[in-house]
Amino acid sequence: MHIHIPGICGTFMGSLALLARELGHRVTGSDSNVYPPMSTLLEAHGIDPGHGFDAAHLDPAPDLVVIGNALSRGNVEVEAVLDRRIPYTSGPRWLFDNLLCHRRVLAVAGTHGKTTTAAMLAWILEREGHAPGFLIGGVPGNFSMSARAGEPGGFFVIEADEYDTAFFDKRSKFVHYGPEVALLNNLEFDHADIFDDLAAIERQFHHLVRTVPGNGRLLVAADEPALDRVLARGCWTPVERFGSAPQAAWQLEASAGGFTAIVAGQHYPVGWTLSGEHNRRNGLAAMAAAAAVGISPQAAARALQAFRPPRRRQELRGRVNGIEVIDDFAHHPTAIALTLEGLRAERPQARLIAVIEPRSNTMKLGAMKARLPGSVASADRVWWYQPPGLGWQVEEVARDCPVPASACADSAALIEALAEETGPGDRIVIMSNGGFDNIHERLLVALRERYPQQTEDGEA
């Protein structure tokens, strides 16, 4: 079957394209925002991500068009599909009908940490010999792809996103997945472009809860009031809690170089190199979800010791003259704060410089603007970048920051300023949910030009 996927470079749709290709379909695609790592991942698997939308991409007509949720009425390919009566569906619906209905699905939901926690869970299952299928919104460090089909009847780990499904289906994606195990990691307001308030998101999370069978399992964070309200709407599935609250079955105890999971009075230490309390919580959640399908805490702890985070999650892109350039996907105030707090705790004496591009749909609307200044308190210096289409001026946030902050609308000028003001031992963390004009590699080039006698590790 020939499947065409408009919006193919989105993390979900790109991963779906890899699955369709693995299942034997011919896959083509198109997108207006083509950038790594998804574009290079698709090309590596023989899928052309296309450049721009064009009705000619539908000549001759494909057997099926799987339409991404980033596409709306008015898009030339959407209009051509409707005008020509070409069969179409949404990504989540295609995924369930062609793959998930034949798998034991473990769904990881929450405002933050979905990608990392799903990657942890998939890796635990992998290390225990289950060879799970998975679809993760990033490229996990322990795997070479963001998605694979797995075997019929086997486990499938999916990052369960609350964003809407398609222009013709405004339900959250995760209501299509039919999980045996659902992990609810946290919940706060986000996606202001489609949700009016937190209550609207809670309603969608309860729709997910309604789909989990009575012989399945819900793993729920113990210290999240919004998730308590979700369960209060009704629950028909056994629930296990994880976190630091007294009623949690899975307790977290932080330790230097990792954490300890405490279950039924037993202690299971995990040693790793990840920074931040949020990653410890993600690890605990993954252990609890793995236990729900029979993986012992000891085995899960061993697997996590070899876990490598997904790309763009505190990913070190390079080091020049002792200056580190780190890439991170954080784009919500809570995620920004947690990331910076983790990096600060990891190396308290290092100068920490945050470079932030507020480019998500929620950020463009300004819904989180008031919370942004406080989110950077753990940094020593902040640069706010003004992307095209932002509905407000980043200077407004820079003025209110508790640490020295500047605003810039020119990526070249920003790179020049960073190269000039940084020195050995500094850590530059660049935060964006987009390509950010390839600023990471361009900054590394600028640093190499500034310090031509230095090697990548900073030694002459």
Side-chain angles (χ1 to χ4, degrees):
M1 175 182 285
H2 174 198
I3 297 175
H4 181 69
I5 305 178
I8 196 170
C9 279
T11 53
F12 176 82
M13 299 305 290
S15 298
L16 187 145
L18 297 176
L19 293 172
R21 181 64 180 266
E22 185 180 351
L23 293 177
H25 300 293
R26 177 190 169 212
V27 181
T28 58
S30 57
D31 212 317
S32 59
N33 295 304
V34 178
Y35 54 82
M38 187 53 71
S39 60
T40 52
L41 186 62
L42 290 169
E43 290 164 354
H45 287 80
I47 301 172
D48 183 357
H51 292 271
F53 297 110
D54 192 328
H57 292 153
L58 301 168
D59 295 325
D63 299 298
L64 181 69
V65 178
V66 182
I67 298 176
N69 69 346
L71 276 68
S72 304
R73 287 300 304 266
N75 176 280
V76 293
E77 293 191 27
V78 168
E79 296 304 315
V81 166
L82 297 175
D83 290 343
R84 301 178 194 178
R85 307 295 196 270
I86 300 173
Y88 67 91
T89 189
S90 71
R93 190 71 247 171
W94 183 92
L95 188 63
F96 181 82
D97 290 343
N98 291 271
L99 200 146
L100 298 186
C101 63
H102 307 298
R103 305 293 191 273
R104 297 180 64 187
V105 178
L106 296 89
V108 178
T111 308
H112 314 292
K114 290 185 293 293
T115 298
T116 299
T117 307
M120 289 175 175
L121 181 53
W123 175 239
I124 292 169
L125 293 169
E126 178 81 2
R127 280 293 295 262
E128 285 302 293
H130 292 285
F134 54 83
L135 190 159
I136 297 170
V139 182
N142 296 99
F143 300 94
S144 62
M145 72 290 287
S146 62
R148 75 180 184 198
E151 295 297 324
F155 295 117
F156 193 99
V157 178
I158 187 163
E159 178 175 331
D161 187 5
E162 71 271 25
Y163 211 83
D164 61 5
T165 296
F167 76 87
F168 50 88
D169 182 353
K170 307 313 287 183
R171 295 173 296 170
S172 291
K173 291 177 189 166
F174 54 38
V175 303
H176 295 276
Y177 296 156
E180 173 184 330
V181 174
L183 192 161
L184 311 184
N185 209 2
N186 43 64
L187 180 54
E188 62 178 304
F189 183 62
D190 197 7
H191 307 309
D193 52 324
I194 61 171
F195 294 118
D196 292 332
D197 49 31
L198 180 56
I201 308 178
E202 292 173 6
R203 185 176 305 112
Q204 292 297 320
F205 267 70
H206 191 246
H207 291 169
L208 171 62
V209 167
R210 286 174 175 269
T211 68
V212 184
N215 61 358
R217 191 77 58 84
L218 280 166
L219 287 307
V220 183
D223 46 3
E224 292 282 333
L227 293 178
D228 292 340
R229 292 193 294 271
V230 169
L231 296 185
R233 292 170 176 255
C235 183
W236 303 266
T237 306
V239 176
E240 280 191 11
R241 300 279 192 160
F242 61 90
S244 56
Q247 72 271 26
W250 291 75
Q251 292 277 338
L252 176 67
E253 182 179 278
S255 60
F259 69 94
T260 298
I262 306 172
V263 190
Q266 300 296 310
H267 289 62
Y268 304 97
V270 178
W272 62 8
T273 59
L274 277 69
S275 66
E277 182 70 12
H278 61 301
N279 277 323
R280 296 187 186 99
R281 287 174 57 92
N282 293 340
L284 182 72
M287 292 177 71
V293 292
I295 306 298
S296 71
Q298 297 98 322
R302 285 194 301 269
L304 287 179
Q305 290 176 174
F307 174 73
R308 290 185 289 152
R311 290 192 61 183
R312 305 205 66 196
R313 271 66 181 179
Q314 298 181 32
E315 177 187 3
L316 178 63
R317 296 287 291 269
R319 183 187 295 109
V320 179
N321 194 37
I323 303 168
E324 292 183 351
V325 177
I326 300 167
D327 185 7
D328 196 82
F329 197 74
H331 58 277
H332 184 286
T334 298
I336 292 171
L338 290 171
T339 297
L340 293 175
E341 288 167 8
L343 291 171
R344 169 61 69 202
E346 185 179 53
R347 284 175 44 191
Q349 304 307 316
R351 185 165 176 256
L352 183 59
I353 301 167
V355 181
I356 304 172
E357 179 192 34
R359 69 173 292 279
S360 70
N361 289 334
T362 298
M363 286 297 181
K364 288 178 180 177
L365 293 171
M368 301 290 181
K369 186 172 68 172
R371 294 181 55 194
L372 287 174
S375 72
V376 298
S378 295
D380 295 293
R381 173 85 165 94
V382 183
W383 283 90
W384 295 94
Y385 180 71
Q386 181 86 32
L390 191 67
W392 46 276
Q393 296 299 309
V394 292
E395 286 92 342
E396 303 169 30
V397 169
R399 285 196 300 265
D400 294 334
C401 286
V403 298
S406 301
C408 185
D410 184 316
S411 61
L414 176 56
I415 289 168
E416 182 179 358
L418 289 168
E420 288 180 356
E421 73 172 48
T422 53
D426 290 351
R427 311 182 84 187
I428 306 171
V429 56
I430 299 171
M431 300 178 172
S432 172
N433 70 336
F436 204 161
D437 292 342
N438 196 30
I439 190 174
H440 320 83
E441 293 304 316
R442 292 166 62 202
L443 176 56
L444 287 168
V445 168
L447 290 171
R448 293 181 195 116
E449 292 174 348
R450 186 172 180 81
Y451 305 104
Q453 302 304 315
Q454 303 296 325
T455 61
E456 284 292 296
D457 61 5
E459 298 177 356

